Amino acid sequence: MSKISSINIGITMGDPNGIGPEVLLKSLNVMYPYKGWNPLIFGDLKILNKMNQILCTPFVFYKISEHNITFKKSSQEKICIPVLDMSVTKNRNWQHGKCNAWGGESSFQFLVKAIKYAKQKKIDAIVTAPISKKALAEAGHIFPGHTEILSYYCNVKRSIMMLTVDQLRATMVTLHVSLRQVFELLTKELILEVIEITNAGLKKMGITKPKIGVSGLNPHAGENQLFGDEEERIIRPAIDSANKKGINCLGPFPPDTIFLEHKKGLFDVVVTHYHDQALIPLKLYGFDRAVNITLGLPITRTSPDHGTAFELASSFKANPSSMIEAIK
């Protein structure tokens, strides 16, 4: 890793047809001057230059080679940003607000190259702008989302998503699956694995003795098995096993109140069992400040917690706050 005085952050442009290029440039403009870090964009140079004109941002983008990363000096008038140009020329179809295979292929190439650079220690971390799952699929890349692509190309069995808003945090045992599949997938072993990855992730973030709260699955955490037995049959045994391993783990708590307890400071993170159980309360609490962090990887990766917002792309009115927080 680079010294603190010169952290290099690779930032992917995301789907070119969405708001990714816009929030990226707006964020870099707001955050300048870059104290202690340098941005390196993985994207499409022509689109960056065009967006620079549209947004009236003061950037000078310059193309770098794969073997020579250089950071030119900026001035008050011009902010110099290096770009690894990954333009996809085949079937090029840049249209604001349009979901298409070219956008999916572009975003995929930006991400895979950034992962490669992070694994090779050419950059210290990755921040990823939004991608479209539908566009990815149309391009022939059958991944549910960023997290699964990162796991695959980092050669790890499992990584998990942690959403953070201010001091609130949540991880998910299952992610991009149907609610019906959640009940089929949940096991004691899987819950324990997520608890362990969550615990290790918090320690890496500087929390030396993490306190972990685990949500129930059913209303009222099952109400003594009146509304379901998963809490006693699967979730509590996982919590007990985690505590035997020295992890400070509490629960299961009723899903409708666990985030209130978290906000009071009872624990440092909530382990939830499916996507919306975590994302609904945290996005409601602070959508513009929400950041996605991937735990369990050999590299550091964050992203804003919003999508491509194709419907906003042509208006150029996207809010960059979540991207700013992700870079921070």
Side-chain angles (χ1 to χ4, degrees):
M1 295 288 285
S2 301
K3 294 181 180 179
I4 295 299
S5 60
S6 58
I7 291 174
N8 298 329
I9 300 179
I11 309 176
T12 65
M13 201 173 78
D15 193 305
N17 295 324
I19 64 171
E22 178 188 354
V23 296
L24 168 55
L25 297 198
K26 285 181 175 179
S27 298
L28 291 178
N29 191 34
V30 168
M31 299 180 77
Y32 187 78
Y34 314 128
K35 297 180 179 179
W37 65 281
N38 302 304
L40 167 61
I41 298 176
F42 294 78
D44 187 308
L45 188 57
K46 288 182 179 179
I47 293 175
L48 289 168
N49 281 321
K50 184 62 177 178
M51 289 297 297
N52 195 35
Q53 294 176 5
I54 293 170
L55 298 174
C56 298
T57 42
F59 297 114
V60 174
F61 299 110
Y62 60 95
K63 188 175 179 178
I64 62 168
S65 72
E66 290 199 32
H67 307 292
N68 184 23
I69 301 176
T70 59
F71 295 94
K72 295 182 179 179
K73 282 192 174 183
S74 300
S75 65
Q76 280 188 321
E77 296 79 23
K78 298 292 183 181
I79 304 173
C80 298
I81 307 287
V83 177
L84 192 66
D85 186 19
M86 303 291 298
S87 303
V88 175
T89 57
K90 184 178 180 181
N91 299 322
R92 188 174 180 83
N93 191 10
W94 183 40
Q95 298 184 63
H96 286 118
K98 300 296 182 181
C99 178
N100 57 44
W102 174 80
E105 182 63 31
S106 297
S107 62
F108 183 78
Q109 294 301 328
F110 305 154
L111 176 59
V112 171
K113 182 64 72 173
I115 294 170
K116 179 181 177 181
Y117 267 50
K119 288 174 65 178
Q120 293 175 345
K121 308 298 183 184
K122 292 180 179 180
I123 53 177
D124 298 283
I126 303 173
V127 178
T128 59
I131 61 176
S132 164
K133 299 171 183 63
K134 182 180 178 183
L136 274 179
E138 289 184 7
H141 304 293
I142 311 301
F143 289 94
H146 266 125
T147 304
E148 293 81 5
I149 297 173
L150 286 153
S151 295
Y152 181 82
Y153 283 94
C154 285
N155 301 309
V156 297
K157 177 184 176 184
R158 182 171 178 80
S159 62
I160 62 172
M161 171 182 167
M162 181 168 74
L163 188 69
T164 71
V165 183
D166 302 337
Q167 296 305 307
L168 301 184
R169 308 176 185 90
T171 57
M172 287 131 272
V173 178
T174 65
L175 189 54
H176 296 120
V177 299
S178 72
L179 196 55
R180 182 186 300 276
Q181 287 177 291
V182 171
F183 287 83
E184 298 170 354
L185 293 172
L186 280 184
T187 63
K188 169 193 166 183
E189 292 74 20
L190 184 59
I191 296 169
L192 176 60
E193 184 179 20
V194 171
I195 292 172
E196 290 176 316
I197 293 173
T198 301
N199 186 63
L202 289 183
K203 287 184 175 181
K204 188 176 180 181
M205 293 167 63
I207 301 173
T208 55
K209 295 180 179 180
K211 294 178 291 183
I212 298 173
V214 181
S215 173
L217 176 65
N218 300 296
H220 301 189
E223 191 74 42
N224 295 316
Q225 302 189 54
L226 183 64
F227 305 140
D229 67 352
E230 285 82 7
E231 283 74 16
E232 297 304 319
R233 182 168 53 84
I234 300 173
I235 300 170
R236 194 178 299 280
I239 294 171
D240 292 341
S241 295
N243 279 295
K244 288 176 182 177
K245 293 188 172 191
I247 300 172
N248 188 356
C249 200
L250 306 172
F253 291 87
D256 60 348
T257 58
I258 190 168
F259 282 95
L260 294 175
E261 299 302 325
H262 181 22
K263 191 170 183 291
K264 292 175 186 176
L266 185 60
F267 23 76
D268 299 302
V269 65
V270 175
V271 172
T272 63
H273 300 290
Y274 57 91
H275 183 277
D276 287 2
Q277 201 174 41
L279 270 65
I280 288 174
L282 289 187
K283 286 188 175 183
L284 179 63
Y285 178 74
F287 179 77
D288 292 336
R289 304 186 304 280
V291 176
N292 177 357
I293 302 171
T294 307
L295 304 182
L297 299 175
I299 63 176
T300 299
R301 177 263 177 168
T302 68
S303 77
D305 192 59
H306 58 68
T308 51
F310 289 126
E311 69 280 4
L312 292 178
S314 61
S315 69
F316 306 108
K317 294 181 179 179
N319 187 336
S321 298
S322 185
M323 174 63 91
I324 291 170
E325 292 301 317
I327 295 172
K328 286 180 180 179

